[in-house]
């Protein structure tokens, strides 16, 4: 009995192909069922997690050839999440995402979690000097989540729903980043910076489903927001 996903190519076989050969194979691949394409992407994800340089070369060819294979892009970003970027890699990844909105649209879930994973207090966190760059990507991902049009009418636990959607994940990234900034500045903290206030106000006042989920996250973090900006929280969050 075969267990797991079927392996069309092994990780070794994938890494032995140069990016052009791999993309030719993926573009022409005709799976007999969905499990085969999932198995192929799983092998590519493993190969990319073993070698960031290999994955970077694949990305360069994808961009050069204007190829937007959703499954492949998601496999690459998932690999970066799994491995955890270095400081230099974060710079390259954030630049890639900032310059290619289509990647964010195709990989909204993975991009949102990549950002959120970069705030968990590990050695792979987004460097503080790149916080503004990460927020630029997060704002683009937020706009994509507002455009996505997904909707869930009923739920027993809306907080659970929110934290499992890109909109909620992006709010977790944003609030955790603010909390870290607050700790770093200590007594020099003067309330929400203007760009953060604008973003959170957009969430609080928005009419999209993403904004609805974002407000669930915001309301659940009322004590954190009080510590960040009491006046803004009283005016904008308490009424929720």
């Amino acid at each position: 009995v075969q267990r797991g996903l079927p392996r069309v190519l092994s990780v070794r076989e994938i890494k032995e192909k140069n990016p052009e050969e791999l993309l030719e194979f993926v573009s022409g691949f005709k799976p007999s069922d969905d499990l085969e394409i999932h198995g192929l992407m799983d092998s590519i994800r493993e190969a990319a997690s073993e070698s960031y340089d290999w994955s970077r070369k694949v990305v360069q060819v994808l961009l050069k050839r204007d190829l937007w294979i959703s499954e492949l892009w998601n496999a690459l970003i998932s690999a970066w999440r799994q491995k955890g970027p270095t400081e230099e890699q974060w710079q390259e990844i954030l630049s890639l995402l900032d310059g290619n909105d289509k990647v964010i649209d195709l990989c909204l879930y993975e991009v949102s979690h990549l950002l959120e994973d970069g705030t968990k207090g590990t050695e792979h966190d987004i460097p503080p000097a790149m916080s503004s760059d990460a927020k630029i990507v997060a704002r683009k991902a937020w706009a994509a989540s507002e455009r996505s049009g997904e909707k869930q009418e009923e739920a027993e636990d809306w907080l659970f729903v929110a934290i499992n959607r890109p909109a909620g994940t992006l709010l977790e990234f944003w609030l955790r980043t603010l909390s870290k900034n607050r700790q770093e500045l200590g007594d020099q903290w003067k309330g929400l910076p203007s760009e953060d206030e604008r973003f959170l106000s957009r969430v609080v006042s928005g009419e999209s489903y993403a904004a609805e989920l974002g407000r669930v996250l915001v309301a659940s973090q009322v004590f954190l927001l009080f510590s960040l900006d009491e006046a803004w929280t009283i005016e904008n969050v308490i009424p929720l």
Side-chain angles (χ1 to χ4, degrees):
V1 178
Q2 184 178 22
R3 297 184 178 182
L5 295 170
R7 295 286 183 162
V8 179
L9 292 175
S10 68
V11 174
R12 178 182 58 80
E13 289 172 325
I14 285 173
K15 291 175 71 175
E16 285 176 350
K17 292 181 179 293
N18 63 44
E20 289 82 2
E21 292 171 338
L22 176 66
L23 295 181
E24 286 296 331
F25 181 87
V26 172
S27 298
F29 181 57
K30 299 292 190 292
S32 58
D33 58 49
D34 288 343
L35 289 180
E36 284 192 346
I37 190 67
H38 289 312
L40 176 60
M41 293 303 145
D42 196 51
S43 293
I44 291 173
R45 179 186 55 77
E46 287 188 37
S49 69
E50 290 181 5
S51 174
Y52 173 80
D53 286 340
W54 179 85
S55 71
R56 183 164 54 86
K57 291 174 183 176
V58 174
V59 165
Q60 289 171 347
V61 177
L62 281 169
L63 294 174
K64 181 179 179 181
R65 294 178 56 178
D66 200 29
L67 287 176
W68 305 103
I69 304 169
S70 175
E71 295 88 351
L72 182 51
W73 279 105
N74 275 280
L76 294 171
I77 295 177
S78 177
W80 298 339
R81 280 184 57 205
Q82 176 181 318
K83 184 67 174 179
T86 64
E87 181 172 344
E88 182 180 352
Q89 290 166 4
W90 269 120
Q91 188 172 24
E92 292 179 350
I93 292 168
L94 292 174
S95 177
L96 164 72
L97 296 173
D98 183 26
N100 295 277
D101 291 3
K102 196 162 186 177
V103 177
I104 297 175
D105 288 335
L106 289 174
C107 311
L108 182 56
Y109 177 90
E110 291 293 347
V111 169
S112 301
H113 279 275
L114 175 69
L115 292 172
E116 192 263 338
D117 285 353
T119 63
K120 290 185 174 179
T122 74
E123 62 181 314
H124 301 295
D125 271 12
I126 298 167
M130 299 178 200
S131 176
S132 295
D133 296 328
K135 286 180 179 178
I136 290 172
V137 173
R139 278 195 293 271
K140 292 186 175 188
W142 179 261
S145 70
E146 289 193 305
R147 294 192 300 270
S148 67
E150 68 167 354
K151 185 79 173 177
Q152 181 168 330
E153 298 295 341
E154 300 293 337
E156 293 184 3
D157 186 347
W158 279 107
L159 182 58
F160 177 81
V161 174
I163 62 178
N164 284 284
R165 296 291 190 279
T169 304
L170 290 167
L171 258 295
E172 288 189 289
F173 154 78
W174 204 286
L175 293 175
R176 197 176 291 147
T177 299
L178 280 172
S179 178
K180 292 172 68 175
N181 293 345
R182 170 75 174 83
Q183 293 175 356
E184 290 166 1
L185 287 175
D187 293 339
Q188 296 179 28
W189 181 264
K190 303 299 182 185
L192 287 173
S194 57
E195 69 163 325
D196 299 293
E197 183 177 330
R198 283 194 297 272
F199 175 75
L200 292 174
S201 295
R202 175 180 175 182
V203 173
V204 169
S205 63
E207 298 181 359
S208 65
Y209 180 58
E212 291 180 26
L213 296 180
R215 284 192 287 275
V216 173
L217 252 296
V218 167
S220 74
Q221 296 295 323
V222 63
F223 293 112
L224 168 62
L225 287 163
F226 255 111
S227 72
L228 295 173
D229 196 317
E230 182 176 335
W232 183 88
T233 303
I234 291 173
E235 180 179 351
N236 294 278
V237 180
I238 298 302
L240 298 177

